[in-house]
Every structure is written in C-alpha cells, then in structure tokens.
Amino acid sequence: AEVPALVLGSSDLDSYLWMERLTRDPDPAVRAATARAMAQAGDDRLTSLLKKLKDEDRDPTVRQVAQYYWKP
C-alpha cells in the first residue's frame, strides 16, 4: 500500500491517471491507502476520485476511510 505515496511523490508520472487506476484496485487496502494519499496530496484534481471512493466503493472500510479524509 506504499504505491499511492510513491506515485504522488514522482514528478515523472501523471498522478491523476495513476490514482484513478488505484481506486479500482481489487485490494481494499490499496484503495484505502489511495484515499489517504489523495487527501494528503492537496491536489484539487483528485477530489472527484476521493468523493467516488467515499460514495461508491464496494468495501465499507474504504468508504469510511474516504469519508474521514473528505473535505469538500
């Protein structure tokens, strides 16, 4: 679950595209880590992805983590 932080820390990658992909990872721990990383990144482009995890993720823990970090 270190991948989201690594993606956001790299200037060579498009963080939005990678975060979008990670929000669809089959592992709930990866999606929860992605929610946390997106919230801490302070990138307004990631707000819609965090909202989607908060509202629509199939795992209740992921939704709870995203809700915790949600700041509209």
Side-chain angles (χ1 to χ4, degrees):
E2 294 178 27
V3 172
L6 293 173
V7 167
L8 290 171
S10 173
S11 60
D12 295 332
L13 300 172
D14 183 333
S15 60
Y16 181 87
L17 293 177
W18 276 97
M19 291 294 112
E20 196 279 327
R21 177 177 280 184
L22 290 171
T23 63
R24 295 182 282 117
D25 193 276
D27 185 347
V30 171
R31 296 193 311 275
T34 300
R36 184 173 40 254
M38 288 190 300
Q40 294 171 343
D43 183 341
D44 290 340
R45 298 180 310 149
L46 302 175
T47 302
S48 63
L49 297 177
L50 184 59
K51 184 178 185 325
K52 187 171 182 174
L53 284 179
K54 174 183 78 75
D55 294 341
E56 301 175 16
D57 196 88
R58 63 188 171 272
D59 186 273
T61 302
V62 174
R63 289 193 309 269
Q64 185 177 14
V65 168
Q67 175 67 43
Y68 177 80
Y69 286 108
W70 175 249
K71 309 252 188 310

